[in-house]
Amino acid sequence: QLMTIGLVQLNADGSVKTDGAGKPLDSYTQDDVTNLARVFTGYDLDIRTAERNTVTPPGASYTIESNAWTQRPMALTASRHSTLAATFLGTTVPAGTPGDQALKIALDALVAHPNTAPFISRQLIQRLVTSNPSPAYVKRVADVFANNGAGVRGDMKSVIAAILLDNEARSPAGLDSPDFGHVREPMVRFVQWARTCGLASAAGTWRIGNLSSTSNGLGQSPLRSPSVFNFYRPGYVPPSTAIAAKGMVAPEFQIVTETSVGGYINFLGGVLQNGFNSKDVVAAYANEKALVLNPAALVDRLALLFTANQLSAATRALIVDALSDPAVTASSTDAVKLNRITAAVLLVMACPEYLVQK
């Protein structure tokens, strides 16, 4: 329930429903949790016998299962599934219902719950557009979640389109508002760099490793969140800040610390040029190499691809000036040319216009 409907009852615009005393109304009870848990009994990782003890980790003397199971849904063992009746959130799964049918009933009930549309819609807006969407924006998207125009509920293609094409997302006013946008989380920055600059693995192994270190990594790594509630809370408020004073939230700031800010720069300083795994995983910078002799053109390309041309004139001038010394010529070594390219990428990826996405 925490992941689909939230803790408290919501109106269609994401605002909290309250009782006569102004206290938020709970969205579920302990009985709901207990009964819904029955539906999910019997499910386990789909690790097949032929896949066990087939892989020897590098430098190890033991074997483990292959990772094929990570690409498959969990498997149901019928004998381990509870066939007791389960009543939750106004829905009842009759006693004796097979596990797969019980799961469908439960998922349908969660999708149909009145909280799901505003709860999911607001968090998707936070991830894709802005941390503090207006209630009207949330409601417009929630309405599409409830009905895509063809009577279908939960059509995610229509929901995503509604989020990205909404006037609040596309209006130029957001570019000038300090209250609009959101911090790009570290892993998103990393993936953007990898895709933009042509990261590739010569051996095809893609050994990048754990990037969770806050001192010399991203402070974030896939599938390594510190709890089941992920890396940060959608309602996180940085304490003693202007954001808090305005009654706003900034979810991604929950993983921003003095250490992580410096660690991010340290991380870029190493991987932009040296990559990973003894330079097996490195960026090609093919398009950037074509512009290396022209720092202004190089910065313009990076500003377009990384910041959607939102780099301020002052920031652009600072970066171009920094790249101009030492001079790079056609006869410069490849190492010198690479230094200019990676310095340009680092400076763009460290500037405020990039770190805050609008």
Side-chain angles (χ1 to χ4, degrees):
Q1 295 98 321
L2 286 175
M3 311 304 178
T4 49
I5 66 173
L7 296 171
V8 296
Q9 295 181 35
L10 302 174
N11 294 303
D13 63 0
S15 58
V16 177
K17 290 184 177 181
T18 58
D19 60 18
K23 180 181 178 182
L25 297 171
D26 292 337
S27 61
Y28 60 89
T29 67
Q30 183 58 47
D31 284 343
D32 290 322
V33 175
T34 301
N35 278 266
L36 186 56
R38 292 176 186 163
V39 173
F40 298 105
T41 55
Y43 284 91
D44 203 346
L45 303 177
D46 187 10
I47 303 176
R48 299 169 186 177
T49 301
E51 297 165 354
R52 296 183 182 276
N53 302 316
T54 57
V55 176
T56 301
S61 58
Y62 57 87
T63 57
I64 59 175
E65 70 275 0
S66 75
N67 65 0
W69 62 270
T70 64
Q71 302 175 50
R72 294 193 293 262
M74 297 180 76
L76 172 67
T77 301
S79 61
R80 297 178 181 176
H81 174 70
S82 171
T83 57
L84 296 175
T87 299
F88 52 89
L89 303 175
T91 296
T92 296
V93 176
T97 302
D100 55 347
Q101 295 178 30
L103 178 61
K104 184 179 186 307
I105 293 171
L107 294 179
D108 286 346
L110 290 171
V111 172
H113 192 282
N115 257 34
T116 303
F119 184 73
I120 296 296
S121 296
R122 186 173 191 276
Q123 292 200 50
L124 285 174
I125 294 171
Q126 286 185 312
R127 299 289 73 72
L128 298 174
V129 179
T130 183
S131 296
N132 296 274
S134 69
Y137 185 8
V138 174
K139 186 178 186 303
R140 288 192 294 271
V141 176
D143 286 346
V144 173
F145 185 103
N147 186 338
N148 69 350
V152 177
R153 184 179 181 86
D155 174 8
M156 297 311 296
K157 288 184 178 180
S158 296
V159 170
I160 299 300
I163 291 171
L164 298 180
L165 298 177
D166 191 89
N167 185 61
E168 189 165 325
R170 296 171 60 83
S171 172
L175 298 178
D176 298 321
S177 172
D179 298 339
F180 189 80
H182 67 105
V183 173
R184 296 180 201 261
E185 57 188 296
M187 186 49 59
V188 172
R189 301 175 217 161
F190 173 76
V191 172
Q192 184 180 19
W193 163 71
R195 292 173 64 89
T196 300
C197 297
L199 192 70
S201 170
T205 57
W206 290 97
R207 290 182 181 172
I208 292 176
N210 185 357
L211 306 178
S212 299
S213 171
T214 56
S215 59
N216 56 14
L218 287 174
Q220 190 181 39
S221 201
L223 304 180
R224 292 180 181 271
S225 62
S227 80
V228 296
F229 302 110
N230 221 322
F231 294 97
Y232 46 81
R233 294 182 286 107
Y236 177 74
V237 180
S240 304
T241 62
I243 294 172
K246 289 184 175 183
M248 300 168 65
V249 301
E252 293 86 353
F253 265 105
Q254 190 169 0
I255 57 174
V256 175
T257 65
E258 291 88 344
T259 301
S260 71
V261 170
Y264 171 63
I265 302 300
N266 292 337
F267 173 79
L268 292 181
V271 303
L272 292 183
Q273 187 160 141
N274 300 315
F276 304 90
N277 193 30
S278 301
K279 295 191 176 182
D280 169 62
V281 184
V282 292
Y285 298 116
N287 294 303
E288 290 71 29
K289 288 177 180 177
L291 301 172
V292 69
L293 302 184
N294 186 337
L298 177 60
V299 173
D300 286 344
R301 171 180 167 78
L302 297 176
L304 171 64
L305 297 179
F306 282 92
T307 75
N309 270 344
Q310 293 176 35
L311 206 62
S312 69
T315 300
R316 179 187 180 279
L318 284 171
I319 296 176
V320 171
D321 183 62
L323 297 177
S324 298
D325 186 17
V328 176
T329 67
S331 60
S332 296
T333 65
D334 289 344
V336 169
K337 293 176 181 178
L338 183 60
N339 283 342
R340 171 176 279 184
I341 291 170
T342 55
V345 175
L346 188 152
L347 291 171
V348 170
M349 292 185 70
C351 72
E353 295 95 324
Y354 174 68
L355 295 174
V356 176
Q357 180 179 347
K358 292 191 175 185

